[in-house]
């Protein structure tokens, strides 16, 4: 790649780099919601999107996303955040390039976090042991089996670990994080810029509507694929999850 | 490109293809929010992301997005939707490849629409003449000067034309569109899947908070750059906008 930003590597020491980890098949809204919000943080924060290689990755939509940097190019970010996915998150739990980066870079980072099933990917690297954390509503049981203390909230802070619930929760999470890093006034202004004045056309989720949840069962099962196959390289996780 | 979906071109006639138009510098949440929602429509709908060439495009964040198809490969989609951007949207208003595609493909499409300043890009192609439409809150005056009838709502339907307000409004808009195309029950289930149960940490936007809006002025001006330069190829638009 010749067109990546030339100055990032020179300034890693003086800036607080926030690295979003991506992997094939991820759910792009998990990534893009927070990146759109946090790209307004301004100095000393600087965002990058890191992957094993700089090449376009498939997502679970027709959108393809290319990392701005490789894992090797951003060894010591200030923060490491992981978006989620369905079967793709399971594969990322067993992907040695992703897991190695998380153990090293996220293990040393000042802040770690996730959106949706990104918390399972962090947990697979041993980073959520005993931490209060959240994930997509379908995966709370797995998060517990992986050693975290699951909490069903929109976003959860436990010390240096900030996790968000499913997919769209990343926007709320990123605004809360903006306030933590730059103050509430700044966060409110970013919210106005993004015109984040949500008005779901059919109201909020009715968590008691059993018919809707039952109808989603087959779709969710299909999206997750065969968890044992996805986790084949990690017998320890297959055992923990009781698969 | 060898890895694009091989069967799309064969089935263009039997499926309803929804084409999202992308261009350099766009605001990725305008695209990804709706695509994440609409990717759950299922048959006969099929999404694609079209651009002048299949190569990764910069956005107004560190995320780079690659189209799934070129404009030439998707000449007759069922629907054409346009995400917005800041200065990038102005450049797209004067970009002959984008404008030519909109005049042709969107001109014939059964549905057209936009998120944020994507409506200005549609208007520049003459597609919003006399239509009720919306855009980012900063651009309502421009939308009017370009011939539309601006309405400050979260999303606006006028016949075959469905437009959304700024950036994050694309999620609400896409859920409303899902209901129009597949029924409200389906839309509610997609909402659950995406865990779209918004909880802005500082509440909803206070449109009367003048201090916040005043503080955003310089940032917005910088983001828009030099409109006359961006529109250099379109003296008709410079005149309409009174620049």
């Amino acid at each position: 790649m010749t067109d990546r930003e030339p100055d990032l590597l020179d300034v890693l020491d003086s800036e607080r780099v926030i690295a979003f980890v991506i992997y094939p098949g991820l759910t792009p809204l998990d990534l893009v919601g927070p990146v759109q919000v946090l790209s307004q943080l301004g100095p000393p924060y600087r965002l990058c999107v890191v992957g094993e290689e700089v090449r376009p990755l498939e997502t679970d939509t027709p959108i393809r996303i290319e990392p701005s940097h490789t894992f090797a190019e951003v060894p010591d970010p200030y923060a490491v955040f992981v978006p989620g996915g369905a079967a793709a998150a399971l594969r990322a739990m067993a992907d040695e390039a992703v897991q190695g980066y998380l153990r090293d870079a996220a293990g040393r980072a000042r802040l770690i976090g996730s959106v949706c099933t990104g918390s399972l990917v962090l947990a697979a690297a041993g980073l959520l042991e005993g931490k209060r954390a959240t994930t997509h509503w379908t995966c709370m049981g797995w998060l517990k089996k992986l050693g975290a203390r699951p909490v069903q909230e929109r976003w959860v802070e436990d010390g240096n670990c900030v996790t968000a619930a499913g997919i769209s929760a990343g926007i709320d999470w990123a605004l809360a994080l903006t306030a933590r890093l730059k103050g509430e006034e700044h966060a409110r202004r970013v919210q106005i810029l993004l015109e984040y004045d949500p008005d779901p056309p059919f109201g909020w989720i009715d968590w008691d509507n059993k018919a809707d949840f039952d109808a989603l069962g087959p779709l969710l099962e299909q999206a997750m694929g065969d968890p044992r196959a996805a986790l084949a390289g990690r017998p320890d996780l297959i055992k923990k999850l009781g698969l």
Side-chain angles (χ1 to χ4, degrees), chain A:
Chain A
M1 292 302 302
T2 56
D3 62 344
R4 83 180 59 151
E5 294 172 78
D7 49 338
L8 180 65
L9 302 179
D10 301 334
V11 295
L12 279 173
D13 289 338
S14 58
E15 292 197 323
R16 293 183 168 182
V17 173
I18 295 177
F20 278 85
V21 171
I22 69 171
Y23 50 85
L26 85 160
T27 296
L29 185 52
D30 290 21
L31 169 76
V32 175
V35 165
Q36 196 78 58
V37 172
L38 298 175
S39 66
Q40 296 296 334
L41 277 174
Y45 299 97
R46 183 151 180 176
L47 269 60
C48 61
V49 179
V50 294
E52 190 176 358
E53 299 172 64
V54 174
R55 62 175 178 81
L57 296 180
E58 302 288 334
T59 69
D60 66 8
T61 74
I63 290 169
R64 289 202 201 95
I65 293 180
E66 185 173 73
S68 61
H69 297 82
T70 64
F71 291 147
E73 287 173 328
V74 189
D76 281 302
Y78 175 82
V80 176
F81 298 141
V82 186
L90 295 172
R91 291 191 296 271
M93 291 165 71
D95 179 322
E96 186 42 35
V98 170
Q99 291 293 311
Y101 184 70
L102 292 179
R103 284 192 307 268
D104 293 348
R108 287 190 300 269
R110 292 283 293 279
L111 261 182
I112 61 172
S114 58
V115 177
C116 195
T117 52
S119 54
L120 304 180
V121 185
L122 278 176
L127 294 163
L128 295 189
E129 203 59 44
K131 299 259 191 200
R132 293 175 71 247
T134 196
T135 188
H136 192 271
W137 59 269
T138 52
C139 292
M140 302 297 281
W142 280 6
L143 188 58
K144 186 172 184 179
K145 288 180 180 171
L146 293 169
R149 292 158 54 202
V151 185
Q152 196 142 12
E153 287 173 10
R154 193 76 177 150
W155 69 90
V156 175
E157 293 194 21
D158 185 347
N160 79 330
C161 173
V162 286
T163 53
I167 309 183
S168 62
I171 298 173
D172 296 323
W173 168 86
L175 284 169
L177 194 59
T178 296
R180 176 168 166 169
L181 298 175
K182 279 261 173 158
E184 179 178 327
E185 186 178 73
H186 185 83
R188 272 204 324 270
R189 290 171 185 171
V190 173
Q191 178 178 0
I192 295 172
L193 206 61
L194 270 58
E195 206 163 337
Y196 185 53
D197 213 22
D199 184 11
F202 311 106
W204 270 250
I205 292 176
D206 176 2
W207 294 96
D208 296 322
N209 182 337
K210 197 167 173 308
D212 276 351
F213 283 86
D214 287 349
L216 283 170
L219 184 59
L220 289 165
E221 202 162 315
Q222 191 191 359
M224 274 306 192
D226 177 355
R228 282 180 60 91
L231 292 170
R234 290 288 303 265
D236 59 319
L237 298 178
I238 291 174
K239 193 175 165 195
K240 276 188 185 174
L241 293 172
L243 296 169

